[in-house]
Amino acid sequence: MENSKVCIEMGLKQQAWMWVFVLVLIINASFQSGWSEGCLEQERFALLQLKPFFNHPHTLSNWVEGDHNNSDCCQWERVECSNDTTGRVISLDLFYTRGEEMGEWYLNASLFSPFQQLQRLYLDANSIAGCVENEDLRSSNLKYLDLSGNIFNKNILSSLSALSSLKSLYINDIGLNGSVDLSEMFHSLRNLEVLEIGNNQIHKLVVTTGNGVSSSNLRDLILRNVSIHDGRTLFQSLESFPYLKTVHLEYNNFSGILISNRELHNFTNLKELYMGGSSVHISLLQSIAAFTSLETLNMRDCQLNGILDIKGGLCELVHLRELDLSRNNLKGALPSCFGNLTSLEELDISFNQFSGNISLSPLMALISIQQLKLSYNDFQIPISLEPFSNHSKLKSFSCKNNDLYVEAELYSLAPKFQLNSIRMSGCKGSCTFPKFLYYQHDLLAVDLSHNNFTGVFPGYYEGAVDETFYPLMRTEEIVEFRTKTISYFYHGNILTKMFGIDLSCNKLTGDIPPQIGNLTMIHALNLSHNNLYGSIPSTFSNLKQIESLDLSYNNLSGKIPHQLAELYTLEVFSVAYNNLSGRTLGLVAQFSTFNASSYDGNPLLCGLPLPRSCDAIESPTLLPTDSDGIGEENDFMDMGIFYISFTVSYAIVILTIVVVLFINPYWRQTWFHLVETWMTLCYYFIVDHLPSVI
């Protein structure tokens, strides 16, 4: 039994040592194959071979040889390796790594052949004029390639045929011009899903059907600013890509009618179409119903002109979620069929000439809307926003420069929406703050400028604290409650997350509530062009994130709180044209960047950067002294004390001279000789000049 036990133990030990030996052999074999400190030796050497061609200052600084502590090329900048045990390079980001002073050059693509697992390669903005002859890029694993911002020509398209695994290709701004045929490229790149070919002078894009092109997997096509005029031919070519989901055609200059319903058969998968900044005929909105799956349509600034007649066209896109028709010249009332777009979440029709009372418009049916932008039109909009009270998903509302009006019976019920931002202006009558704001406690940005709002600046009013409002507020939003008071906005709910308030150009009076200083995340505050009075709250020093503070054109008085010097993020500051007095904040910290225009129109202000010196304004008799009777540093000395101290000092000096002359005979003799000499000189000076004077 004991011998058997000993044999078993020895067998187990031998097996353990055998596995250790096998592990050592595996590790040794790995090192022999080139695995060295995280990256392959041949790939590290290949990177060092590439470096001389990409020598822009301050880039690739740690691509060095001979540094033992830096021998792992997987740790080098702009290099990414796989996370598995092979440690192969999978991504090289060489964007803008060649100095422009070196001029154009031809890339030797064979330098990338050692990177057999390379998946992403960024070569954009390196002044590459092409590839060395017979040295095209070849890789069976490359999926992402960016060659934008170089100086290729059409030949580059055929040079890419070996990249059979390529899924994303970016060739923006590479000098393509004229008629460009993509047929051969798509025949080879069957896996291509994303093609961005913008900022070229492509007058005509050709994609010949057949030869397998129709089976292309292209999903996203970006053709921004390519100077294509013949939109009809372009859309016919795009039918070769049945799986297209996103098409960008911004900043082109299409002429004539682009499409008609009978010409479109192959766009059933298209989800997003962006044509902003292009010249488009309004008839496109009538024919676009063929894009049955469209969810996003952007036709911002497309020079659309006329009345929006879209029955049977745009109104048929029942899956549409985002629609942007802003900055065009569309007129008249919104068509009633707009109410069919019940999936809309974002609608921007600002900067047009739409008209009509919003209460009677089809927008009332769009209860899924989250962002609604109506600014700069001719709509009539009730200031209570009562027509949208049931739009529970509404988060952002903008209606600047429309015709706001106050209803005969002001709507006062709490709406179902909770806004993040609101921008309203255009109230021409006698207006007060909209009461629906009492119930908005998610607001981040408020712009209620140019509304002729009258009354006292929103502050506090007396009343018992109603606990029924507490559930409406989040704990972190409640900044301060005073006894028996409720704040004007959001019922005691002062938002610490608010980042912008604009109440400029109204007729508000009263003091500025110090509680605004609790809006610690605010970036912009504009209370200018009102009739506000009182002092600037020192609590504004809590606005540590503020970038723009404008209190100009009011009746504010008193001194500028010195605590404002702690606002280090300010870029815009103005207290001009008030009744402020005392010293400016000087040229300290961020305030050293502001000039005199920030303080103009306050005749009692002094100090830099104003030309008025405070020494000329502040009279000594007006300067305060402390309770101990000790003056401040710039007080004048008491003149009585000055005369007494001067007399005593003079007497001490004379007495000292007499004592010294009495004790020291040599100095005494020298002193008397000096006095005698001066007396003699004076005597002869007078004798010589006396006759001429007489």
Side-chain angles (χ1 to χ4, degrees):
M1 291 288 293
E2 292 182 1
N3 291 336
S4 300
K5 185 176 181 180
V6 171
C7 290
I8 292 173
E9 290 178 353
M10 291 180 64
L12 291 174
K13 290 180 179 179
Q14 289 177 352
Q15 289 182 10
W17 279 107
M18 181 182 69
W19 283 113
V20 170
F21 179 72
V22 170
L23 181 61
V24 170
L25 288 178
I26 293 174
I27 295 174
N28 184 63
S30 300
F31 276 105
Q32 291 294 329
S33 65
W35 188 14
S36 175
E37 297 188 47
C39 69
L40 294 177
E41 179 64 25
Q42 59 265 36
E43 292 189 339
R44 187 175 71 88
F45 179 75
L47 291 174
L48 294 174
Q49 294 293 106
L50 279 171
K51 184 179 179 180
F53 299 97
F54 302 94
N55 63 344
H56 193 284
H58 313 298
T59 60
L60 313 184
S61 58
N62 62 350
W63 288 30
V64 293
E65 189 174 16
D67 185 356
H68 178 73
N69 296 324
N70 192 39
S71 58
D72 183 6
C73 64
C74 291
Q75 303 302 319
W76 290 356
E77 60 179 303
R78 298 173 177 260
V79 178
E80 181 183 349
C81 296
S82 61
N83 293 325
D84 55 26
T85 56
T86 63
R88 302 298 296 260
V89 174
I90 59 174
S91 177
L92 280 179
D93 183 1
L94 297 173
F95 162 68
Y96 194 44
T97 50
R98 181 179 172 89
E100 296 179 356
E101 69 279 358
M102 296 187 67
E104 301 176 10
W105 64 297
Y106 285 83
L107 176 68
N108 187 346
S110 64
L111 293 172
F112 295 95
S113 58
F115 308 107
Q116 298 177 10
Q117 300 299 320
L118 189 63
Q119 298 178 20
R120 298 185 299 277
L121 179 58
Y122 304 80
L123 291 172
D124 37 330
N126 282 302
S127 302
I128 303 174
C131 294
V132 175
E133 189 175 358
N134 299 323
E135 293 293 347
D136 296 335
L137 281 169
R138 299 179 184 277
S139 174
S140 58
N141 291 294
L142 195 64
K143 295 179 174 58
Y144 183 107
L145 177 62
D146 193 341
L147 299 173
S148 303
N150 288 295
I151 319 167
F152 296 113
N153 52 34
K154 298 177 186 178
N155 295 333
I156 188 62
L157 301 177
S158 59
S159 301
L160 301 173
S161 58
L163 304 176
S164 57
S165 298
L166 202 63
K167 289 188 175 182
S168 300
L169 175 61
Y170 297 84
I171 47 178
N172 297 293
D173 190 22
I174 62 170
L176 296 179
N177 59 77
S179 179
V180 176
D181 193 339
L182 300 179
S183 303
E184 181 182 353
M185 185 185 74
F186 279 112
H187 179 69
S188 303
L189 306 182
R190 298 289 183 90
N191 294 308
L192 194 65
E193 296 180 358
V194 179
L195 174 63
E196 188 163 336
I197 195 173
N199 295 312
N200 289 286
Q201 296 297 312
I202 303 174
H203 299 150
K204 184 178 182 181
L205 192 69
V206 179
V207 181
T208 306
T209 56
N211 297 323
V213 172
S214 60
S215 63
S216 171
N217 288 315
L218 194 67
R219 302 294 200 271
D220 300 340
L221 178 63
I222 297 93
L223 286 168
R224 294 190 186 99
N225 191 27
V226 291
S227 303
I228 293 178
H229 298 291
D230 189 354
R232 183 185 293 264
T233 302
L234 172 64
F235 275 99
Q236 290 173 348
S237 297
L238 296 186
E239 286 201 288
S240 300
F241 309 111
Y243 302 111
L244 268 179
K245 290 186 176 181
T246 303
V247 175
H248 287 266
L249 299 174
E250 297 101 321
Y251 305 106
N252 287 289
N253 189 18
F254 300 117
S255 59
I257 297 176
L258 296 184
I259 57 176
S260 63
N261 288 336
R262 62 178 179 273
E263 292 177 346
L264 300 176
H265 309 286
N266 228 3
F267 290 100
T268 55
N269 291 306
L270 191 65
K271 301 288 187 183
E272 302 175 14
L273 178 60
Y274 300 90
M275 304 188 70
S278 295
S279 175
V280 178
H281 194 273
I282 195 172
S283 61
L284 177 63
L285 296 177
Q286 184 64 41
S287 306
I288 208 168
F291 301 153
T292 55
S293 299
L294 204 62
E295 296 179 359
T296 299
L297 177 61
N298 187 312
M299 300 188 70
R300 175 187 179 92
D301 193 20
C302 282
Q303 302 181 34
L304 298 173
N305 186 21
I307 296 177
L308 199 60
D309 183 11
I310 52 175
K311 186 177 181 179
L314 176 63
C315 287
E316 301 299 316
L317 301 179
V318 294
H319 300 292
L320 202 62
R321 298 172 61 185
E322 300 178 23
L323 176 60
D324 190 343
L325 298 175
S326 64
R327 296 185 181 275
N328 286 289
N329 193 29
L330 298 171
K331 306 178 179 68
L334 292 175
S336 59
C337 69
F338 235 58
N340 297 340
L341 305 178
T342 54
S343 298
L344 266 184
E345 298 176 359
E346 299 181 18
L347 175 62
D348 189 351
I349 53 176
S350 57
F351 291 92
N352 280 286
Q353 299 182 43
F354 288 117
S355 58
N357 194 315
I358 210 71
S359 301
L360 305 176
S361 77
L363 296 180
M364 300 305 97
L366 307 182
I367 58 175
S368 295
I369 204 75
Q370 297 179 20
Q371 297 186 27
L372 183 57
K373 299 180 180 180
L374 309 176
S375 296
Y376 296 91
N377 280 287
D378 297 319
F379 289 120
Q380 290 82 52
I381 303 174
I383 200 168
S384 68
L385 297 191
E386 186 275 336
F388 300 102
S389 59
N390 291 323
H391 290 57
S392 59
K393 297 181 179 180
L394 188 63
K395 295 295 182 184
S396 176
F397 184 79
S398 173
C399 64
K400 290 175 68 69
N401 284 65
N402 280 277
D403 185 8
L404 300 184
Y405 66 92
V406 179
E407 304 94 313
E409 295 183 4
L410 193 61
Y411 183 79
S412 61
L413 296 179
K416 293 182 179 180
F417 56 73
Q418 283 296 325
L419 299 178
N420 291 326
S421 68
I422 182 169
R423 293 170 174 84
M424 298 177 65
S425 68
C427 191
K428 299 177 175 61
S430 178
C431 298
T432 57
F433 277 90
K435 288 188 177 180
F436 73 87
L437 287 176
Y438 295 171
Y439 309 96
Q440 303 302 305
H441 40 265
D442 287 337
L443 280 171
L444 300 176
V446 175
D447 182 354
L448 299 176
S449 60
H450 296 86
N451 274 307
N452 287 315
F453 285 146
T454 58
V456 178
F457 186 80
Y460 289 91
Y461 61 87
E462 295 296 329
V465 177
D466 189 346
E467 295 183 359
T468 61
F469 288 110
Y470 283 11
L472 298 176
M473 298 180 288
R474 294 190 292 268
T475 302
E476 66 272 15
E477 295 173 344
I478 303 175
V479 178
E480 179 181 10
F481 277 103
R482 292 187 177 178
T483 305
K484 296 183 180 180
T485 61
I486 304 175
S487 72
Y488 177 84
F489 289 122
Y490 337 130
H491 287 282
N493 177 15
I494 299 178
L495 294 175
T496 58
K497 296 181 180 179
M498 177 77 72
F499 65 79
I501 297 179
D502 187 349
L503 294 174
S504 62
C505 301
N506 284 292
K507 297 179 179 178
L508 299 174
T509 61
D511 295 319
I512 302 175
Q515 286 73 21
I516 290 181
N518 293 320
L519 306 180
T520 54
M521 298 302 293
I522 200 167
H523 285 239
L525 176 61
N526 190 348
L527 304 178
S528 65
H529 294 86
N530 281 287
N531 296 314
L532 302 175
Y533 48 79
S535 59
I536 299 173
S538 60
T539 56
F540 277 17
S541 62
N542 297 329
L543 308 179
K544 302 300 185 184
Q545 305 294 325
I546 197 162
E547 299 173 5
S548 178
L549 176 60
D550 192 347
L551 305 176
S552 61
Y553 292 92
N554 281 287
N555 294 311
L556 301 175
S557 58
K559 295 183 178 181
I560 301 174
H562 64 86
Q563 295 93 336
L564 297 188
E566 301 171 11
L567 302 178
Y568 299 111
T569 57
L570 267 181
E571 296 180 5
V572 177
F573 174 73
S574 181
V575 291
Y577 298 96
N578 281 283
N579 295 318
L580 299 171
S581 59
R583 292 178 180 268
T584 66
L585 295 180
L587 301 180
V588 297
Q590 195 69 10
F591 286 83
S592 64
T593 65
F594 305 130
N595 56 33
S597 63
S598 296
Y599 303 96
D600 281 347
N602 292 278
L604 298 180
L605 273 182
C606 62
L608 294 176
L610 293 172
R612 293 185 294 277
S613 171
C614 292
D615 294 336
I617 296 178
E618 296 174 345
S619 172
T621 58
L622 297 179
L623 291 176
T625 59
D626 58 26
S627 59
D628 296 329
I630 302 175
E632 296 185 8
E633 291 182 356
N634 58 346
D635 284 347
F636 288 100
M637 183 182 292
D638 186 271
M639 295 306 294
I641 296 176
F642 171 75
Y643 291 139
I644 294 173
S645 61
F646 179 80
T647 303
V648 172
S649 300
Y650 186 80
I652 290 174
V653 170
I654 297 298
L655 182 60
T656 301
I657 294 175
V658 171
V659 171
V660 169
L661 293 179
F662 178 78
I663 295 174
N664 194 319
Y666 174 76
W667 286 358
R668 184 168 63 246
Q669 184 178 2
T670 304
W671 170 257
F672 289 148
H673 176 72
L674 180 61
V675 172
E676 182 180 6
T677 302
W678 276 102
M679 290 177 62
T680 304
L681 290 174
C682 291
Y683 170 77
Y684 283 108
F685 177 81
I686 295 173
V687 170
D688 291 340
H689 292 83
L690 186 59
S692 60
V693 174
I694 296 175

